[in-house]
Amino acid sequence: MAVLEWIETLHRDTVLDKQGYMELIADCSEEEAKTLFEKACAVKEQYYQKEVYVRGLIEFSNYCRNNCYYCGIRSQNRCVERYRLSPSEILSCVEEGYALGFRTFVLQSGEDCGYSAQEIGHLVSDIKKRHSDCAVTLSVGERERDIYQYWFECGADRYLLRHETATKEHYEMLHPKELSFENRIRCLYDLKEIGYQVGAGFMVGSPYQTTEHLANDILFLKALEPHMIGIGPFIAQKDSPFADMPNGTLNQTLLMLGILRLSFPKVLLPATTALGTIDPRGREYGILAGANVVMPNLSPVGVREKYQLYDNKICTGEESAQCKHCLSNRMESIGHHIVISRGDYFDRQKRQIDK
Ligand code: SAM
Ligand code: FES
């Protein structure tokens, strides 16, 4: 089939077979991508109009027990100055964010054993007690199911854990042997069963990635049915084993965003900081390709430079208010607007449940 026919089919059926996805990814021209993006935006607007949800990202620790080859804060990177925010510092970020209109807070870190499960649980319940109108998202890596369950009971609403790649052989090229593909996938299904709104995802253009891997990623996501899908370009980090690998590109990331929107009409899809890093208007283009979420940084300015997953990360010098303001202007410049809202998955929004 020709690319435009694949786009039509995807728009109608919200799924293609593996061959269809592979041909679409490999052969889509810039002109055809424009058609894809138009359809993706129309689908997005059916559910979310031109509203863009914001999540306040608090990168609360860069300690990590893992050694993912692509990642700037991996345990074996001796060039990183490690930090860990205290609960009261994290709560100050939340208060600042609340005053700025954030109603979702994403607590993200490496897999830091310095924070116990109880401490994280208490933090979540503290935030929920102070602000019952807010959602808390955790993104702290792979844990046992009973810990995920406990945090859910403490009030955590959502969990972000990118699957990174749905192809086992590829997974093993990106991670040391201590990390297991099966465990990553097990975590995602556990989180879903417990009741979290779950986010999976992958890097676009990660080392050794093929078109077939990308097609496998979409088919894996189809089976998992996550509420959020986080994708961004791979960006090399100078002290990592992948320092000399080529970065993912803007165009390929946009293409994947458009394909994901047509495949998952209601999904929460961020235009990520990594996309804004490879192109100054990357996040705007991401929204115009079908994304509907942005995640400005609420971490204290003093630690932002230290959470360098990849080189040249943007927004490390700005105060939280500046970041929010800047993103708000960027969204307005493309006819979209940021809203004060928890920004739940469409089917979990109150207006839906009330019906
Ligand atoms: N430790 C948690 C986890 O594993 O989910 C959260 C932190 S982890 C650093 C967040 C995400 O950053 C990873 O899932 C990965 O996809 C992304 N990331 C890491 N290194 C990157 C790089 N060099 N370029 C782009 N994204 C990267
Ligand atoms: Fe730990 Fe990436 S290696 S967050």
Side-chain angles (χ1 to χ4, degrees):
M1 259 207 271
V3 165
L4 286 176
E5 287 175 71
W6 286 124
I7 295 174
E8 277 301 327
T9 310
L10 184 58
H11 189 195
R12 189 186 60 233
D13 301 343
T14 71
V15 69
L16 299 176
D17 61 13
K18 185 163 163 178
Q19 192 59 32
Y21 278 122
M22 283 175 63
E23 287 183 22
L24 183 51
I25 295 166
D27 301 336
C28 191
S29 67
E30 275 192 34
E31 216 37 50
E32 289 161 335
K34 279 191 195 145
T35 308
L36 171 74
F37 299 152
E38 274 162 28
K39 290 188 190 299
C41 278
V43 166
K44 168 182 79 171
E45 287 173 25
Q46 272 174 23
Y47 299 102
Y48 299 108
Q49 298 81 41
K50 287 190 190 286
E51 296 187 343
V52 177
Y53 295 146
V54 274
R55 280 75 168 92
L57 180 62
I58 304 171
E59 299 158 334
F60 70 91
S61 160
N62 69 354
Y63 281 90
C64 189
R65 63 181 170 188
N66 295 335
N67 199 31
C68 309
Y69 298 145
Y70 44 83
C71 184
I73 62 168
R74 38 193 273 285
S75 57
Q76 280 180 23
N77 185 358
R78 305 277 171 243
C79 305
V80 180
E81 195 188 321
R82 303 284 168 177
Y83 74 90
R84 180 181 294 126
L85 300 183
S86 67
S88 70
E89 287 172 311
I90 298 171
L91 289 171
S92 316
C93 297
V94 168
E95 294 310 329
E96 192 181 351
Y98 192 85
L100 287 169
F102 289 90
R103 296 296 177 267
T104 286
F105 299 100
V106 181
L107 306 185
Q108 190 179 81
S109 68
E111 281 187 26
D112 177 9
C113 306
Y115 248 111
S116 70
Q118 275 71 20
E119 284 169 315
I120 292 181
H122 289 155
L123 191 58
V124 171
S125 33
D126 264 5
I127 297 174
K128 297 292 286 195
K129 261 186 233 136
R130 285 168 185 233
H131 299 297
S132 58
D133 55 340
C134 288
V136 174
T137 305
L138 289 174
S139 178
V140 298
E142 296 175 30
R143 305 294 161 114
E144 294 307 317
R145 184 182 175 123
D146 55 353
I147 295 181
Y148 288 151
Q149 180 73 48
Y150 163 65
W151 289 338
F152 188 69
E153 283 156 18
C154 291
D157 302 88
R158 310 187 186 127
Y159 204 100
L160 302 181
L161 185 77
R162 291 184 175 182
H163 63 282
E164 311 296 2
T165 169
T167 310
K168 185 173 157 68
E169 301 75 57
H170 186 215
Y171 192 90
E172 288 169 357
M173 294 174 179
L174 302 179
H175 301 94
K177 61 178 182 330
E178 299 75 44
L179 289 172
S180 117
F181 174 69
E182 287 76 13
N183 195 53
R184 192 110 186 144
I185 305 302
R186 187 272 305 162
C187 288
L188 282 164
Y189 277 96
D190 280 351
L191 290 161
K192 193 98 199 283
E193 277 170 27
I194 291 168
Y196 283 94
Q197 291 179 49
V198 171
F202 54 91
M203 291 174 286
V204 178
S206 61
Y208 315 111
Q209 186 179 64
T210 64
T211 307
E212 185 175 5
H213 295 152
L214 288 169
N216 287 344
D217 285 323
I218 305 173
L219 294 173
F220 163 74
L221 292 167
K222 272 282 170 193
L224 177 70
E225 296 190 313
H227 306 86
M228 303 163 282
I229 302 178
I231 68 162
F234 161 73
I235 303 176
Q237 200 281 333
K238 62 180 179 358
D239 307 306
S240 75
F242 291 157
D244 298 325
M245 293 289 188
N247 290 342
T249 65
L250 173 72
N251 284 346
Q252 199 172 31
T253 310
L254 297 178
L255 176 67
M256 292 308 297
L257 284 172
I259 294 175
L260 288 170
R261 172 58 65 198
L262 288 187
S263 303
F264 302 89
K266 298 177 191 170
V267 83
L268 295 162
L269 195 60
T272 54
T273 306
L275 193 55
T277 299
I278 48 161
D279 187 288
R281 283 178 59 82
R283 286 168 299 177
E284 290 90 312
Y285 296 138
I287 297 292
L288 295 174
N292 66 332
V293 174
V294 287
M295 299 174 67
N297 202 322
L298 286 184
S299 312
V301 173
V303 302
R304 288 190 191 185
E305 282 282 354
K306 298 175 192 156
Y307 201 86
Q308 289 271 4
L309 309 179
Y310 44 80
D311 292 342
N312 305 316
K313 188 175 164 209
I314 53 168
C315 308
T316 51
E318 279 80 17
E319 294 290 342
S320 304
Q322 287 173 302
C323 267
K324 162 89 194 302
H325 189 63
C326 158
L327 267 173
S328 200
N329 288 341
R330 285 172 183 271
M331 296 302 114
E332 295 291 335
S333 79
I334 53 167
H336 283 64
H337 46 274
I338 280 178
V339 287
I340 296 186
S341 154
R342 276 172 51 115
D344 285 303
Y345 185 73
F346 187 77
D347 294 349
R348 297 227 188 165
Q349 291 186 0
K350 207 154 181 308
R351 63 182 180 214
Q352 289 302 304
I353 295 163
D354 285 344
K355 272 187 188 165

